[in-house]
Amino acid sequence: MKLVGKQALVTGAGRGIGKGCALELARAGADVVINDRPGSPDVQATAQEIRDLGQQCTVVESDIFSRSGCEELVERAIAAAGTLDILVSNPAYTVRCEFLDYDPEVFEKVIQGTLVSGFHVAQLTARQMVKSKTPGRIVFISSVQAAMPYRLSVGYNAAKAGLNHMARTIAVELTEHNIRVNVIEPGWIDTPGEHIAFDEETIREQGAKLPLKRLGTPADIGKAATFLCSDDADYVTGEVLRVDGGFWFKDC
């Protein structure tokens, strides 16, 4: 129970990687404010799972693809938790399309939803940490696609690459405030979104071809986030931790 007494905020926590992070933080003793988009069909169920673990959980439904939505989220999170020790920033949006056919407005929306919203929620949370003199932890959820130029993903790839460098820069600036900032790069993770993008046979066959013979799970990412948010990682900042089960070198 390495996070007993800590207050965490996790965005995009209704399902998938965000949910995995929220649950693992709770298992380590943190109380959690979870966020998802308004009308999310999953977020209340996730909140109940956290409460079943014996931790407090507050749900804040807000659209963090805008500055005003992020302001609403952080304001309500502070009102509920009193202070924030941890932020797991997990906003993302993507559309798969050939570069030559990529709608410029969609490209901008992907950058906004995946990179710019991460800036907004991190800045607003960090300001609260500095104000309250909290030795905070911020973890950004990125992707191996930050460096692997997968086709049909020009917007997402660019956004995640920018996210990594943004996080390192934030880490440099926040060291004087005793706030650690790190990044997790998941590989292929078994989330509901993957079952929309790919058929079950493809997921099963491709998972078996990975070095560890399976797709990752949201809990795998959550455990890494818990480490980075704990005192065990007190001397770690500005790092990108790849949690991909060998996905990076699967063709080696």
Side-chain angles (χ1 to χ4, degrees):
M1 301 289 284
K2 297 178 179 180
L3 301 179
V4 170
K6 302 297 185 181
Q7 301 292 330
L9 169 61
V10 183
T11 68
R15 62 181 188 173
I17 288 174
K19 176 180 179 179
C21 290
L23 288 173
E24 293 304 320
L25 293 173
R27 287 192 177 97
D31 295 324
V32 189
V33 177
I34 60 173
N35 156 260
D36 214 334
R37 65 192 185 281
S40 166
D42 310 296
V43 68
Q44 293 297 339
T46 298
Q48 189 56 52
E49 289 186 51
I50 292 170
R51 294 174 187 132
D52 289 344
L53 292 170
Q55 301 305 127
Q56 296 182 27
C57 183
T58 300
V59 173
V60 179
E61 295 186 34
S62 63
D63 181 3
I64 63 168
F65 286 8
S66 68
R67 179 73 177 193
S68 61
C70 291
E71 290 172 340
E72 178 188 7
L73 168 61
V74 174
E75 181 179 334
R76 290 174 61 185
I78 293 295
T83 188
L84 291 174
D85 304 283
I86 293 166
L87 168 66
V88 177
S89 177
N90 179 49
Y93 176 75
T94 187
V95 173
R96 293 171 58 82
C97 183
E98 292 281 357
F99 166 66
L100 293 176
D101 299 322
Y102 216 102
D103 186 324
E105 292 185 2
V106 172
F107 180 84
E108 291 183 11
K109 185 175 180 180
V110 171
I111 298 297
Q112 176 71 32
T114 306
L115 173 60
V116 179
S117 59
F119 164 83
H120 289 318
V121 72
Q123 184 189 60
L124 293 164
T125 302
R127 285 176 175 175
Q128 292 295 326
M129 291 175 173
V130 171
K131 182 179 179 180
S132 62
K133 295 181 168 46
T134 299
R137 303 290 186 267
I138 297 174
V139 175
F140 290 93
I141 303 300
S142 183
S143 169
V144 292
Q145 289 182 226
M148 301 176 79
Y150 272 87
R151 60 176 298 153
L152 307 180
S153 301
V154 62
Y156 188 77
N157 294 350
K160 290 299 190 180
L163 183 72
N164 283 14
H165 203 53
M166 180 180 77
R168 293 189 185 99
T169 306
I170 294 170
V172 169
E173 296 193 26
L174 293 185
T175 52
E176 64 184 273
H177 300 289
N178 199 20
I179 297 172
R180 311 288 185 266
V181 182
N182 293 289
V183 179
I184 295 174
E185 279 190 355
W188 197 351
I189 307 300
D190 192 352
T191 64
E194 295 304 302
H195 290 267
I196 295 173
F198 302 98
D199 60 65
E200 297 300 317
E201 183 178 358
T202 297
I203 290 175
R204 183 172 57 254
E205 290 181 353
Q206 294 303 313
K209 293 179 181 179
L210 296 178
L212 295 186
K213 308 303 181 187
R214 67 172 178 87
L215 269 61
T217 67
D220 291 325
I221 307 306
K223 290 171 184 176
T226 298
F227 162 69
L228 290 173
C229 293
S230 74
D231 288 343
D232 288 344
D234 190 56
Y235 206 58
V236 181
T237 193
E239 291 301 316
V240 176
L241 176 62
R242 189 175 298 136
V243 184
D244 72 343
F247 184 87
W248 179 261
F249 56 76
K250 66 184 177 65
D251 296 320
C252 294

